[in-house]
Amino acid sequence: MDEPQERKCVVCTNYYTTPKILPCGHLMCQQCVISWMYSKPRAGCPLCRCPIVEQSDGSSSDTVDALPTDFVMEALVESARVLSKDHLCCVCDTKKAENICIQCQDKMCSSCAQLHKKMSATRSHDVESVSTVTPERLAASRPALCADHGDKQAEFFCREHRLAVCRACKANKHKVCLKVSFLDDETESVQKSLNDLTKILVEAEQKLEQAIGQLTSRLQEVDVSEQEDMAQVDKSCDRLQKLVEDFRNKLKDKTRTSHLQIRNSIRDVKTALSNRLGKVTSHKHIVTRVTSVSPRPALIHMTQALTDRVNSLDLSADLQGEVWVKPSSSVESCQEVVGRIEQELLTFEQQKTKTKVTALPVSRRT
């Protein structure tokens, strides 16, 4: 029959041998824990990475010995072995074993099982089909035997030695022990303690699951909040970018208009001076020609006419003051706006940095 993986050690992958309960609640074979700690001194549980021991000043063997042993798992493993081994009848050794005695834990064929039920010593035993018996059922039905004899029924439990003993051992070896009670009473007391422990663990489990659920919901809220904030950041920055782009275009238009006005003014002055230069040059050619070729009577008449004409010409070369006026600059305005925005953004960033994220407190029990 197939065996559940929960009865096998995660390290050696075999059935547990002296299973030790780690602080995290997982199980490992005693020797596997020693080997694991020796090969990886700071390694945690191979399943959950929790520390195997908080602190140890002694040897690995002593540390592992101090870990509690899961005797129930030991019983389950042993019961599983009983159910899986020797498919032949333990009595006749010839026929297939189809039944098992819950009390004796012997596997028998149908014929031997019928004889087993007829014998006076085993008449009251429960003989069932092997296929219907589980390791849990078999482990729970194992008889309580004396820890000293091993073949006698244990009737008492010594709390001082933590041993189940028979009546003879109680009267001899444990007669001076002050805390010896009936095994059934001790079992009933232990069962009550286990019920109390189960209640505590169930309540703690529910509270932890509720707390984890709250944290999961909180994480989802944070995720949604992040998406909303990211969208708002994009929207705000897009708006800022549009404002900056509009501001850029307005400043460019203002700069372009200012320079165009100065440029047109300079061009007007330049055109006027060019026209003035043309007149001066033309009259200069006339005066030069008259001087070189005109007869004397003509020279007299031309001199007076040219003198009157030159006197009427505007010969000044003075540039207007407007020509030297600098176009209005937007640099200072830009720098002022950029400085104010940088200061506002820096102040906003400092305020966001000072904002503390409040975390939900998680109680921890050691």
Side-chain angles (χ1 to χ4, degrees), residues 31 37 51 63 102 142 147 169 175 197 218 256 258 263 268 275 280-281 285 288-289 310-311 331 338-339 342 350 363:
Q31 190 58 44
M37 293 177 61
T63 302
I102 300 299
R142 294 178 70 180
C169 288
K175 64 180 180 180
L197 287 177
R218 181 59 180 149
R256 191 179 296 110
S258 174
R263 188 181 294 110
D268 291 343
N275 293 334
V280 169
T281 302
H285 291 325
T288 301
R289 186 177 64 251
V310 171
N311 289 334
V331 175
V338 171
E342 287 180 343
Q350 291 174 346
S363 60

Side-chain angles (χ1 to χ4, degrees), residues 9 55 62 110 240 251 281 304 356:
C9 176
Q55 185 175 1
D62 294 337
S110 299
L240 286 175
L251 285 181
T281 302
Q304 185 59 46
K356 295 182 179 179

Side-chain angles (χ1 to χ4, degrees), residues 32-43:
C32 290
V33 181
I34 296 175
S35 301
W36 187 260
M37 293 177 61
Y38 179 77
S39 61
K40 302 176 181 180
R42 295 187 178 181

Side-chain angles (χ1 to χ4, degrees), residues 41 52 364:
I52 293 179
R364 192 170 134 191

